[in-house]
Each structure stands twice: as structure tokens, then as C-alpha cells.
Amino acid sequence: MDTQVIDASSFAGDVIDPRHAGYEKLRMVWNGLHDRRPDLILQPRNAADVQAAIRLAVDRGLPLAVRGGGHSLPGFSTCDKGMVLDLSRLNHVEIDPAKHLAEVGGGALLGDLDRAGSPFGLVTPAGVVSHTGVGGLTLGGGMGWLSRRFGMTVDNLIAVEICLADGTLLTVDADTHPDLFWALRGGGGNFGVVTRFRFRMHPLGRVCVGAWDYDIRQISTALKKYRDLAALAPRQVTTSFAATRDKFSITAFASDGLAPAEIEAFGQLANSAQGGITGMSFLELQSRADDHVAWGRRYYTKGGFFAELSDAAIETIADSVGRTPSPDVEVYALQLGGAVKDIDEAATAYAGRAAEFYWIANAMWNDPAEDKACMAWGRETARRLALHSATTNYVNEQSDSGIAQSAYGAEKFARLTAIKRRYDPMNVFRLNQNITP
Ligand SMILES: Cc1cc2nc3c(=O)[nH]c(=O)nc-3n(C[C@H](O)[C@H](O)[C@H](O)COP(=O)(O)OP(=O)(O)OC[C@H]3O[C@@H](n4cnc5c(N)ncnc54)[C@H](O)[C@@H]3O)c2cc1C
């Protein structure tokens, strides 16, 4: 694909064009399926650089891809031709341990946030892989090991600094531009570039992690027992499961000083589990899957919310993992509920408060020859699991674009559209689960 040379002298940050030695590396995103060649990659060092970059893209009519951690499954944070606004240098994190606050740059990774809070024993609930971007994850909602105890990432968002399509820089919170603040808590990157997030933090307390693998032939029995146990778990306990064609795995995480006895039963779901209580710290848990879901592998993922884990859903999971085309292809689910349900569904744009679990049909593989089979498995498994799922969805864990209307539901989508019209009428920010103005 040909690229053009664009004059970016109005931009004071780092400019990487196809002639730059770092271009081939910097044009890559996490999902190896997306091999695109932008004309220009701009790396801002501060909010003023972000303003200049947006003005440049708008003046030149360039497609604009905004990149936080680069983890977008559909590859929204890159483009052919056009400009990538790579926020990776805006990765500062400052903790105020007395006030339990974190100020986080728009391009920080989850690992940056977790590591900064760790010396103070403070956390903000976010996701489960440390190389994921705070930016994309937060704007879609943000769920992980701490959501049942402290809510979604957006429930802990106090304020943002955002650069709009016309280059204006705004501070937005519950009292200032409240409609935009509502939309930013789940509406994705549709409204501008967030240069700074302010989060509430919480004392974590002592943690305990248990991890067990079961023979895949025991999946139905184990999942039914798991469901019943998970329903009784206090909100300081969160569990997840993953099933491939070879094994069925459970992880149980407890914080707030809970005893290992609170999670040991997840190791007794069926005969002869391998594993047990680990000595993992919270930081180790947060990076445990980093290498497995490494940059550059090929990924196709679709997900949905279970209000409950029905027998029919369990049988569908068991059947689907028996048909996977590649060893790392899996069905994964994270337990929700708890503090996520405490917040009224209408309070934020995120559209999954009632769910007990978020599941993904998660195909990952390395060989392009497997693309067709892995993607077909992901589509078919998600289609079957959707029959047992809520009609709304989580915009952040979907490989297919164009799903915003169905994911938010009619009412929220209408409200988001009205806000989009006000803040980005020309749809400058359209490489996302787009809310067309
Ligand atoms: C390996 C992996 C693990 C994951 N685990 C979890 C999990 O545990 N919990 C969970 O909730 N989600 C999880 N996700 C989904 C994740 O939330 C989304 O992929 C999210 O979009 C990633 O954000 P990013 O900044 O890394 O991605 P990017 O590709 O950089 O950005 C994604 C979208 O957000 C926009 N964006 C990013 N930063 C900004 C910003 N500062 N301002 C405005 N727009 C911005 C981009 O333009 C793009 O549209 C995971 C994804 C992956 C690939």
C-alpha cells in the first residue's frame, strides 16, 4: 500500500512517517490480523500536542486512529493512509495516597497504574492483562478481578481531561458537562481524546489466588458446581473460567484479607483437579496472562453477558470447545455482579449492569493458514452463546465493528447519538464502535 508524506511541522511531539527507522515497529498493533500502513504516526508529549495533532488531521481531512494500548480487537487504533495518534508517551501515573486518587495519562497501560498503586496498597479496578491500555478499557467500561468489590473502572472515574474534535481541551466530571461524562463512561472513544483520567483508588488488603485445571471431559459437571458456588461467593471473591479442547480451568481471587478457605472449594468441582492455592501477588495475577495473549498473535473475539449460567449455556460451551480448530481457542468467562450491580443501569453508558458473567468466544492462533477456521469457530460459538445472553453487549471485546446500536440498546444509543452530535458532529472520531452523529 502506498503512503504519502505529510507535512507535520505544526506538531511539536515525535513524528514517525514511513521513512523513519521505527515505522515498521510502531505501525503494529496488538492483534496481528491488522497489518496496516498509516501515512503518519504522531506521538504527543502533552495535551497541547494532542490538540495540534487533532487540528492537523481535521485540516488535512486525514482518517484519525487514536491509540492507547493498541489492544482494539477490530484494529481501531491503526489505519491505512491517515494518521495514528499514538498516546504511549502520555503514560504518567501519579498517586495521591492520602486522598486515594490516581492521575493517569491517556496512554498509560494497566500495568503502569497497578505498579504505581502497589507501594501504597491501593488499586483501581481495571482489566486482567497488564499490557492493555487504560484509555480504551476505561472508555468502554472496564471489568476485571476487582469489579465485584469496587465496580467497573468507569464507576471509579472522577474526571477526565479531553481534547474535542475542534481542538478544545475540556475538564469533564459529574458537575461539568455531565452529559459528556455520562457518555464517556462506556461510550468508547467516540467523543474525543482523553489526555488524563482521575480515578478513585481503594485499599486492596491481603490477596489469595487459587488456580485449578480439570480434565475437559468433566466440564459440564464442573461448570454446574462452579455456578452454584460462584453464586454464594462474597464480593471480595471473583472467579473466572476458561475452557479449551484440552482442559477446563478455574481461577479464584480473594482480596481484603479473606482466608484461602473462602476459595478452596473451586478446587473440588470434579475429580482430580491439578493446582491449588498459589502464592501469587496481585501484580503477578495481573500479568499472569500477558505472554499467552502476546502482541502479534492473531485474535478473533466476540462476547456477551450472561444474566445466569444456564444448563443450556453450559452444554453449548462444552460442545463448542469440543470443536475448536486450534489448541489455544477458548471460551472464557469472568464473574461480575457485586458492586457492578449496585450502580443504576441508567447512570452510565456502559450497558451490562444486570449480568452475572461476561463471556468471550476467544480464538487465538499464530498461523495465517488457520484464519478462516478460527474466525468461523468464533462467529459460530458466539452466535450459539448469544441465544442464552442479554441483548445488550460490551463494546470493548468484539472483533466485529458496527455493533454500537445493538450493544447499547435503543434508549442509550439515542442518548449517545445526541451527545455525539453535540461534541463530534463531523465524526472525526470514527475508528471505534462508532456512534454515527
Ligand atoms: C489481551 C486483552 C485483554 C483484555 N482484558 C480486558 C479486561 O480484563 N477487561 C476489560 O474490560 N477489557 C479487556 N479487554 C478489552 C479492552 O478493554 C479493549 O480492547 C480496549 O479497547 C483496549 O484499550 P487500548 O487502549 O489498549 O486499545 P486501543 O486499540 O489503543 O484503543 C481502543 C479504542 O479506544 C480508543 N482510545 C484508546 N485510548 C483513548 C484515549 N485516551 N482517548 C480516547 N480514545 C481512546 C481508540 O481510539 C480505540 O477506538 C482486553 C483486550 C485484550 C486485547
Side-chain angles (χ1 to χ4, degrees):
M1 165 101 30
D2 290 340
T3 48
Q4 54 174 328
V5 175
I6 293 165
D7 175 12
S9 51
S10 60
F11 178 77
D14 291 335
V15 178
I16 294 102
D17 70 16
R19 299 166 300 183
H20 190 284
Y23 176 80
E24 288 301 325
K25 182 155 182 263
L26 286 168
R27 74 181 180 84
M28 303 311 288
V29 287
W30 169 81
N31 189 347
L33 277 183
H34 308 298
D35 183 16
R36 300 191 189 136
R37 305 190 72 83
D39 286 331
L40 203 56
I41 302 170
L42 299 187
Q43 295 185 321
R45 290 172 184 272
N46 51 44
D49 290 347
V50 173
Q51 291 177 286
I54 292 173
R55 288 193 180 114
L56 180 67
V58 171
D59 288 351
R60 299 288 171 85
L62 298 172
L64 174 61
V66 178
R67 183 183 306 168
H71 272 215
S72 159
L73 283 147
F76 288 140
S77 47
T78 185
C79 53
D80 277 325
K81 310 279 186 180
M83 176 196 292
V84 169
L85 183 56
D86 170 3
L87 305 176
S88 58
R89 290 180 188 273
L90 301 182
N91 64 346
H92 56 276
V93 179
E94 285 161 43
I95 309 288
D96 183 332
K99 292 187 177 154
H100 289 188
L101 294 177
E103 297 282 339
V104 182
L109 304 182
L110 301 192
D112 298 323
L113 174 57
D114 285 337
R115 279 191 301 274
S118 180
F120 308 104
L122 293 174
V123 288
T124 292
V128 304
V129 171
S130 82
H131 47 71
T132 311
V134 171
L137 177 129
T138 301
L139 294 170
M143 58 179 75
W145 292 114
L146 298 164
S147 305
R148 283 169 49 74
R149 188 169 162 210
F150 300 126
M152 301 289 295
T153 309
V154 286
D155 300 336
N156 294 276
L157 185 62
I158 296 172
V160 304
E161 179 186 77
I162 185 170
C163 188
L164 302 178
D166 65 2
T168 314
L169 200 61
L170 288 185
T171 299
V172 176
D173 60 24
D175 301 318
T176 320
H177 310 286
D179 250 24
L180 181 55
F181 191 55
W182 176 86
L184 289 169
R185 287 174 292 161
N190 273 284
F191 306 96
V193 177
V194 175
T195 47
R196 191 169 51 81
F197 296 91
R198 178 178 303 149
F199 293 111
R200 191 175 305 115
M201 301 197 89
H202 308 268
L204 176 63
R206 195 159 39 78
V207 308
C208 176
V209 179
W212 297 272
D213 291 337
Y214 294 88
D215 188 312
I216 192 60
R217 285 169 298 191
Q218 297 177 310
I219 183 172
S220 297
T221 316
L223 255 181
K224 284 175 188 158
K225 208 160 165 196
Y226 160 79
R227 166 189 64 197
D228 298 342
L229 274 177
L232 301 174
R235 56 179 61 191
Q236 297 100 321
V237 169
T238 295
T239 59
S240 72
F241 67 84
T244 63
R245 65 191 181 194
D246 299 319
K247 65 181 182 192
F248 172 68
S249 310
I250 296 275
T251 302
F253 166 75
S255 64
D256 201 18
L258 256 58
E262 293 281 350
I263 55 174
E264 273 165 349
F266 292 100
Q268 293 146 20
L269 302 177
N271 296 331
S272 57
Q274 303 285 312
I277 302 292
T278 70
M280 247 182 256
S281 68
F282 181 64
L283 286 184
E284 285 166 340
L285 176 67
Q286 289 291 75
S287 54
R288 179 179 69 148
D290 282 8
D291 293 340
H292 189 53
V293 292
W295 270 66
R297 298 190 75 185
R298 305 169 89 77
Y299 300 91
Y300 183 85
T301 301
K302 285 168 84 84
F305 291 115
F306 285 140
E308 55 162 5
L309 193 49
S310 64
D311 285 357
I314 288 173
E315 292 316 322
T316 303
I317 293 169
D319 182 64
S320 297
V321 298
R323 299 161 184 267
T324 65
S326 194
D328 289 343
V329 171
E330 65 178 14
V331 173
Y332 166 91
L334 176 73
Q335 189 184 359
L336 294 172
V340 179
K341 280 191 170 176
D342 290 349
I343 307 283
D344 188 64
E345 174 65 47
T348 61
Y350 170 74
R353 297 282 170 190
E356 284 296 332
F357 294 91
Y358 191 72
W359 59 263
I360 49 175
N362 193 23
M364 46 187 147
W365 68 102
N366 300 321
D367 184 352
E370 290 186 299
D371 286 2
K372 208 172 154 201
C374 287
M375 290 163 75
W377 177 89
R379 273 199 196 100
E380 177 58 9
T381 300
R383 186 195 65 75
R384 295 176 69 197
L385 288 176
L387 300 174
H388 311 291
S389 304
T391 53
T392 58
N393 212 325
Y394 183 35
V395 288
N396 268 5
E397 299 210 49
Q398 312 292 339
S399 279
D400 294 345
S401 54
I403 54 106
Q405 188 158 6
S406 61
Y408 293 111
E411 205 176 316
K412 284 191 177 178
F413 187 72
R415 186 169 172 191
L416 285 164
T417 305
I419 297 168
K420 175 81 172 175
R421 274 194 201 118
R422 196 164 341 130
Y423 289 97
D424 183 19
M426 304 305 288
N427 208 9
V428 170
F429 304 108
R430 61 178 173 273
L431 292 177
N432 42 47
Q433 292 298 358
N434 197 222
I435 297 156
T436 317

